[in-house]
Amino acid sequence: MQYKSQIVAKHYFVGALVLFVAQILFGLVMGLQYVVGDFLFPAIPFNVARMVHTNTLIVWLLMGFMGSAYYLVPEESERELYSPKLAIAMFWIFLVAAGLTVIGYLSVPYATLARVTGNDLLPTMGREFLEQPGITKIGIVVVALAFLFNLSMTFLKGRKTAITSVMLIGLWGLAIFFLFSFVNPDNLVRDKFYWWWVVHLWVEGVWELILGSILAFVLIKITGVDREVIEKWLYVIITLTLITGILGTGHHYFWIGAPEYWQWFGSVFSALEPIPFFAMTLFAFNMVNRRRREHPNRAATLWALGTGVMAFLGAGVWGFLHTLAPVNYYTHGTQITAAHGHMAFYGAYVMVVLTMISYTMPLMRGRAANSNAAQVMEMWGFWLMTIAMVFITLFLTAAGILQVWLQRVSETPLGFMATQDQVALFYWLREGAGLIFLIGLLVYLASFFKGEKAAG
Amino acid sequence: MSASFSTSAARNMFYGGSTFFFLIFLALTYNTEQQLPKRDQRAQLDNPAVVAGKRLWEHNNCIGCHTLLGEGAYFAPELGNVYKRRGPDFIKAWIKAQPTGTPGRRQMPDFHFSDKELDDIVAFLKYASEINTANWPPNIEG
């Protein structure tokens, strides 16, 4: 750690990991509700568990991005953070707001939450992933603006690298597109159309800029390859990302009432969307193969390579599987979507945040890398979580194919619930894989408490 | 990558390419807005019951279990076409009968809707069912 103020990242990473645990626990509750429908009913209905599962995911990834930025920008800019105090204050505001929102979801009916937070004045709630009460949404905007002010000031006064430029464009884009969460027309088609300006333009747009810049930063550090080479790759990857991803939004516009030409735009451009992820995998392996030093933190190298591979599989391959319009006509809104969503989020965003944590945490704790024993444990966590996620994805894919067949293709189509009964076996298997994921997460967390002796 | 392809060329390609495609996206959005009146049944929004029904849909987080035009959660049936699948009376009776309490079965909470609210929800679902979705879903089962 070259700059004192980089330490603020530690708060964000610890907060992120705490929310990660909550996310997985609620995921297991939901997984069980798929097969034991009345589990925890009426205390925690499925929709509540799902809001906690997806909202904690979003918040912990945002915290992970913020922590990454607070660590990365001072080092790249070669100066201290503009205001470490503001960064710490915003962390606590963000964590408390997230905690209160989750408590709100769990303690009162959602309609009560909507009423007491004044959703009638500015209706934004009750839409997938954007369920947060208006006051929480405003809080997110305030935290994001303070965060961007802090980082932009640091950036403007210091050295400007490609990595920090790309990261800041990504983070500003994230904040700007979040403003569309306040757009909720009564017209259902327009509501859905602009809803994707947050959801798609985040995860298949500006978030990928953040992903690329974090990965590039870690690869420079652990491989010692020339910055020039890595920055050129970064620009090529994010160019491919945006020229495919922006019009790739069209793959969400096939069946929501938008004109039919979106079936062509959406299919063609989303067929190209795996290319930047493939380039990212090539990039990570290429840089590690050309490395000029053996970095003592082998676990961080593993996470970086894993991010490339899993992002390509989850976002690239599993995305492509069902984005061509004639295929999507049958798979839209089935477990195939859930399968893709799980591996894409894990492979791209969870893993890149864990890559950054893996690289920076030992440094923030005063050592180049963790002891060999701790790294071995961390790598066990990596493999358990990653393999469990592969199986979660495969089981959900199997459930999805069966669902499409029974409910939509068969000559005697079954109803939704009858179909669900038929695919229950795969939901049980998914729940088992989910338990393995939890074990992997616990092993990963335990590695933080393993042995203080530094390696290398 | 070859040395002749410089970092600044890559950077310019990024700024130029993403701006260009974002402008195309905005142009298509504009065109979509022009076409929507023929597809989105907006005349029905003059009926206050439809708007009230959408608000009830949101305030009870129905999307947390169901899908609507294929988007949402995959835990409970698609409701974009439920009006055509089941009709208004079934929908109201079904909501009033919840939760079923059948052991092991997925449960829908009792939202304590008034008769007017039930009519609003039905109006909203009828509106949703008449949007031109390019013939999706493939069959009535959603």
Side-chain angles (χ1 to χ4, degrees), chain B residues 87-98 108 118 122:
Chain B
D89 297 331
F90 180 95
I91 293 171
K92 289 192 257 187
W94 180 261
I95 294 174
K96 279 200 266 194
Q98 302 304 315
M108 175 161 140
L118 288 169
V122 166

Side-chain angles (χ1 to χ4, degrees), chain A residues 145-205:
Chain A
L145 286 179
F147 160 75
L148 285 168
F149 168 73
N150 209 344
L151 284 180
S152 300
M153 292 303 282
T154 312
F155 172 78
L156 289 173
K157 291 187 176 181
R159 181 179 67 146
K160 294 165 189 65
T161 68
I163 289 176
T164 44
S165 306
V166 171
M167 176 170 248
L168 278 168
I169 296 169
L171 292 168
W172 274 102
L174 183 157
I176 289 164
F177 286 112
F178 183 69
L179 297 178
F180 283 90
S181 73
F182 292 95
V183 175
N184 180 15
D186 292 335
N187 185 327
L188 185 62
V189 181
R190 297 184 66 235
D191 171 2
K192 284 176 172 283
F193 190 90
Y194 293 104
W195 178 82
W196 285 111
W197 285 40
V198 190
V199 177
H200 175 93
L201 293 179
W202 264 17
V203 296
E204 290 166 68

Side-chain angles (χ1 to χ4, degrees), chain A residues 31 73 114 130 133 148 152 165 178 183 193 196 237 263 270 272 279 288 302 330 348 395 398 406 415-416 444:
Chain A
V73 172
L130 305 181
L148 285 168
S152 300
S165 306
F178 183 69
V183 175
F193 190 90
W196 285 111
I237 288 170
Q263 293 179 26
S270 53
L272 303 172
V288 170
L302 180 65
Y330 291 97
F395 292 140
L406 293 171
F416 178 88
Y444 167 76

Side-chain angles (χ1 to χ4, degrees), chain A residues 230-293:
Chain A
I230 286 184
E231 292 188 337
K232 203 187 297 183
W233 268 95
L234 175 61
Y235 275 125
V236 170
I237 288 170
I238 61 169
T239 304
L240 291 169
T241 297
L242 291 192
I243 63 178
T244 62
I246 292 172
L247 290 182
T249 315
H251 63 236
H252 303 296
Y253 293 161
F254 297 163
W255 327 113
I256 63 166
E260 268 91 352
Y261 61 69
W262 283 109
Q263 293 179 26
W264 286 99
F265 281 99
S267 297
V268 170
F269 283 90
S270 53
L272 303 172
E273 277 189 63
I275 296 172
F277 287 105
F278 186 65
M280 203 181 296
T281 309
L282 281 182
F283 168 54
F285 277 89
N286 212 323
M287 294 308 117
V288 170
N289 284 334
R290 289 162 67 170
R291 66 186 178 274
R292 295 187 174 169
R293 68 165 84 110

Side-chain angles (χ1 to χ4, degrees), chain A residues 288-309:
Chain A
V288 170
N289 284 334
R290 289 162 67 170
R291 66 186 178 274
R292 295 187 174 169
R293 68 165 84 110
E294 285 300 328
H295 196 279
N297 192 341
R298 289 172 301 122
T301 313
L302 180 65
W303 281 112
L305 292 174
T307 303
V309 173

Side-chain angles (χ1 to χ4, degrees), chain A residues 25-36:
Chain A
L25 292 176
F26 279 87
L28 286 168
V29 168
M30 296 165 70
L32 195 53
Q33 286 174 334
Y34 258 92
V35 274
V36 184

